[in-house]
């Protein structure tokens, strides 16, 4: 069975449940323990396997700990989903350095560290597969946004970070293709989660706590998807053996290891599957 990291609420929770239903063994992350444990309970109740790796994705030691959890618990790493995110909006003349770097830390630096930590593991697994005569295709799914493709007023920081993850995807697709890794980028449009239905500009104790910790769960109303407006006060979220969970409207995919990011024209809300194979009964 493949193994996969995922988030503990919102779209991340949906990703975890979908992958688990397809046979993946899941490493669930959340900033807080309670939502992670709730997702674990759901997965286990359905007969799946999952463990939690709770913590702030922007912490310098998080990536090694996260990847290490998948390897130590499930002896493999097949699917990486970089889904954590939030927004902290302002027009550029009023945007602080703190707001700017918070978005880069969460949406670019955290995925960079996770993928950097994953590379030696994936390389070693790929070498073992080749020596055993197996061809295993592993997957990376990076989450971008329509704001990263087209920009969005009031979100210079967020849009820049989400555009950056597209560049990271294109580069890793070229670097990792030789290891049989398909690197995908999904640019979401509007997705309704608890995160997206709260009033714009709302800042509660949870928002401030996550912000002060540099965390990626800064909105108080739940969800771990991205929150970003695609119009006045409208916001969007990001968020096995076989398949990646539903890829929603506004999708950009890097379908093959050497492919460019392509925009999906149909805007439909159905699943867009990507094939995953299972190495060493890991992930």
């Amino acid at each position: 069975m493949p193994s996969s990291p995922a988030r503990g609420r919102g779209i991340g929770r949906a990703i975890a449940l979908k992958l688990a239903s397809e046979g993946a063994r899941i490493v669930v992350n959340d900033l807080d323990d309670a939502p992670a444990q709730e997702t674990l309970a759901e997965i286990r109740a359905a007969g799946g396997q999952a463990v939690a790796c709770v913590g702030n994705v922007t912490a310098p030691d998080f990536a090694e700990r996260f990847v290490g959890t998948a390897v130590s618990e499930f002896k493999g790493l097949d699917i990486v989903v970089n889904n954590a995110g939030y927004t902290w909006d302002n027009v550029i003349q009023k945007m602080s350095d703190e707001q700017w770097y918070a978005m880069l830390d969460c949406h670019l630096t955290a995925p960079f560290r996770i993928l950097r930590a994953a590379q030696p593991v994936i390389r070693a697994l790929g070498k073992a597969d080749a020596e055993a005569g197996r061809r295993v295709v592993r997957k990376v799914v990076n989450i971008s946004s329509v704001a990263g493709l087209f920009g969005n007023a009031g979100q210079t920081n967020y849009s820049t970070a989400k555009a950056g993850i597209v560049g990271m995807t294109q580069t890793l697709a070229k670097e990792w293709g030789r290891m049989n890794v398909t690197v995908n980028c999904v640019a979401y449009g509007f997705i309704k989660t608890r995160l997206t239905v709260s009033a714009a500009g709302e800042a509660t104790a949870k928002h401030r706590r996550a912000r002060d910790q540099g965390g990626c769960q800064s909105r108080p109303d739940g969800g771990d998807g991205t929150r970003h407006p695609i119009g006045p006060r409208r916001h969007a979220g990001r968020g096995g053996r076989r398949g990646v969970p539903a890829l929603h409207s506004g999708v950009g995919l890097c379908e093959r290891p050497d492919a460019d990011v392509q925009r999906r024209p149909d805007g439909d809300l159905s699943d867009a599957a990507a094939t995953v194979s299972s190495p060493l009964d890991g992930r």
Side-chain angles (χ1 to χ4, degrees):
M1 285 186 245
S3 64
S4 174
R7 304 287 295 172
R9 59 184 127 188
I11 292 172
R13 171 181 165 275
I15 290 171
L17 294 174
K18 175 63 176 177
L19 289 175
S21 74
E22 296 289 339
R25 300 188 245 187
I26 308 295
V27 180
V28 175
N29 164 257
D30 200 276
L31 186 65
D32 300 313
D33 185 60
Q37 294 301 324
E38 289 173 8
T39 300
L40 290 187
E42 284 191 75
I43 292 171
R44 290 168 179 169
Q49 298 181 57
V51 296
C53 182
V54 175
N56 185 338
V57 298
T58 67
D61 66 343
F62 176 81
E64 296 288 347
R65 186 164 60 88
F66 197 37
V67 171
T69 300
V71 174
S72 64
E73 294 291 332
F74 301 130
K75 313 305 179 192
L77 183 61
D78 305 318
I79 309 164
V80 178
V81 182
N82 284 307
N83 176 68
Y86 71 111
T87 62
W88 192 0
D89 300 344
N90 219 330
V91 290
I92 193 166
Q93 67 271 23
K94 296 181 180 180
M95 186 171 289
S96 67
D97 284 1
E98 184 183 7
Q99 287 174 289
W100 172 260
Y101 284 114
M103 293 297 95
L104 296 186
D105 287 347
C106 183
H107 298 286
L108 274 180
T109 304
F112 158 73
R113 287 173 173 162
I114 289 169
L115 293 169
R116 181 177 62 183
Q119 195 277 348
V121 174
I122 290 173
R123 182 184 59 193
L125 289 169
K127 183 178 179 181
D129 292 335
E131 290 173 351
R134 294 186 297 261
R135 184 177 186 271
V136 177
V137 179
R138 293 178 174 84
K139 300 292 176 179
V140 173
V141 181
N142 293 321
I143 306 303
S144 183
S145 162
V146 291
L149 300 180
F150 307 113
N152 197 51
Q155 291 192 313
T156 301
N157 52 358
Y158 178 81
S159 297
T160 300
K162 285 303 189 183
I165 202 71
V166 174
M168 185 185 298
T169 300
Q170 291 173 314
T171 300
L172 284 186
K174 292 176 170 64
E175 290 186 7
W176 288 18
R178 67 183 185 276
M179 299 190 298
N180 290 324
V181 179
T182 297
V183 185
N184 299 301
C185 185
V186 182
Y188 282 129
F190 178 78
I191 304 225
K192 185 176 180 181
T193 68
R194 288 178 299 169
L195 212 93
T196 65
V197 297
S198 68
E202 184 180 34
T204 66
K206 181 170 180 59
H207 175 85
R208 289 190 296 270
R209 178 173 69 80
R211 181 194 66 195
D212 293 344
Q213 292 175 356
C216 291
Q217 297 288 342
S218 87
R219 296 293 179 179
D221 48 347
D224 60 357
T226 307
R227 178 179 178 178
H228 59 83
I230 57 175
R233 293 187 179 273
R234 295 183 65 198
H235 301 268
R238 307 182 301 283
R241 209 172 47 198
R242 304 238 173 240
V244 171
L247 307 182
H248 301 272
S249 57
V251 173
L253 292 178
C254 191
E255 292 279 353
R256 300 176 58 81
D258 58 350
D260 292 328
V261 170
Q262 301 168 1
R263 206 171 304 145
R264 253 180 63 173
D266 54 14
D268 100 11
L269 300 180
S270 61
D271 287 0
T275 302
V276 178
S277 296
S278 149
L280 306 179
D281 272 344
R283 214 174 203 188

